[in-house]
Amino acid sequence: MTWDWSAVGDFMPHFWDGLLVTLQALALGSVISFALGLVWALLMRTPSRLVRWPVGVVTEFVRNTPLLVQLFFLFYVLPEWDITFSALTTGVVAIGLHYSTYTMQVYRAGIEGVPAGQWEAAMALSLPVARTWTAVILPQAIRRVVPALGNYVISMLKDTPLLMAITVLDMLGEARLFSQQHFQFTEPLTVIGVAFILISYPASLLLRALERRLVR
């Protein structure tokens, strides 16, 4: 087996297209997972069991079923109910929803880690509930959990190749299509593997540095 640099050159335009789709899915999926995870965490702290129970059931179901199954359900089953999205939109929603059940646990740990004295101080000052959360509790909780949230971004990056199963041409989808058309598998798949390493490893180092800075 010989390495064909011309195949790499031919593949690179497809690679950049796939990289753009991958980063788009990652960014939008992260936003959904962070926002929805915080909503889940706050709802789980409400006194009403009528709120906590359905939220708990939904999040446990999503967290304990494979992301691939959820992708297939959203992409193939929802159209039978006249609910149709593009493949990329479906993938973004699936990733965001799936990982929101994990970020929920991160937020909950961060909120529970806020010292009791902070709650007591807010009550002593007669701060409104909304003000207590936005000005006292959440800023401290989120600061504590930023590194953990970052770890889930890396996990989402490594799960984006699953979107290929619903026809999204991310990096791996472009590599597979190129390989099938040109009968050259080694070069495009190697490029994809190197790309994932070049993105995820520096990101993990950055998260470690951020974690050391935040815990000072």
Side-chain angles (χ1 to χ4, degrees):
M1 182 184 68
T2 58
W3 182 264
D4 188 351
W5 286 105
S6 64
V8 175
D10 293 339
F11 172 65
M12 290 310 294
H14 303 277
F15 165 77
W16 294 119
D17 291 340
L19 177 62
L20 180 62
V21 172
T22 295
L23 295 179
Q24 184 178 357
L26 176 63
L28 295 176
S30 298
V31 170
I32 293 174
S33 69
F34 292 165
L36 192 55
L38 181 58
V39 172
W40 295 142
L42 295 177
L43 289 177
M44 288 297 290
R45 292 187 63 87
T46 58
S48 174
R49 293 184 61 185
L50 293 178
V51 175
R52 296 198 313 271
W53 187 82
V55 170
V57 170
V58 170
T59 54
E60 284 296 325
F61 176 81
V62 173
R63 186 164 56 247
N64 289 284
T65 52
L67 175 57
L68 186 58
V69 173
Q70 295 165 19
L71 283 167
F72 282 154
F73 181 88
L74 293 177
F75 191 68
Y76 293 108
V77 176
L78 288 188
E80 296 183 3
W81 299 344
D82 296 324
I83 303 175
T84 305
F85 302 104
S86 68
L88 180 58
T89 301
T90 300
V92 167
V93 170
I95 288 178
L97 177 61
H98 184 80
Y99 275 94
S100 71
T101 62
Y102 293 96
T103 59
M104 175 192 75
Q105 300 294 345
V106 174
Y107 285 124
R108 185 161 68 176
I111 292 170
E112 292 175 352
V114 175
Q118 298 294 314
W119 296 90
E120 295 168 358
M123 293 178 61
L125 294 171
S126 300
L127 292 180
V129 174
R131 181 67 174 169
T132 298
W133 278 102
T134 57
V136 180
I137 305 303
L138 288 181
Q140 297 182 65
I142 292 176
R143 182 175 182 273
R144 294 168 179 268
V145 302
V146 166
L149 293 176
N151 287 330
Y152 281 116
V153 173
I154 296 175
S155 295
M156 279 186 267
L157 170 66
K158 291 187 288 188
D159 274 347
T160 53
L162 292 175
L163 302 187
M164 183 181 65
I166 57 171
T167 72
V168 175
L169 289 179
D170 66 325
M171 287 194 294
L172 184 60
E174 290 284 3
R176 181 184 180 187
L177 183 62
F178 180 88
S179 299
Q180 291 174 339
Q181 291 175 343
H182 297 82
F183 302 100
Q184 292 174 305
F185 294 87
T186 302
E187 292 81 7
L189 292 176
T190 301
V191 169
I192 296 303
V194 171
F196 273 107
I197 293 174
L198 292 178
I199 296 173
S200 60
Y201 184 65
S204 66
L205 295 178
L206 179 62
L207 286 172
R208 292 176 192 171
L210 180 61
E211 184 175 7
R212 288 193 297 269
R213 183 178 181 84
L214 291 177
V215 298
R216 289 179 180 176

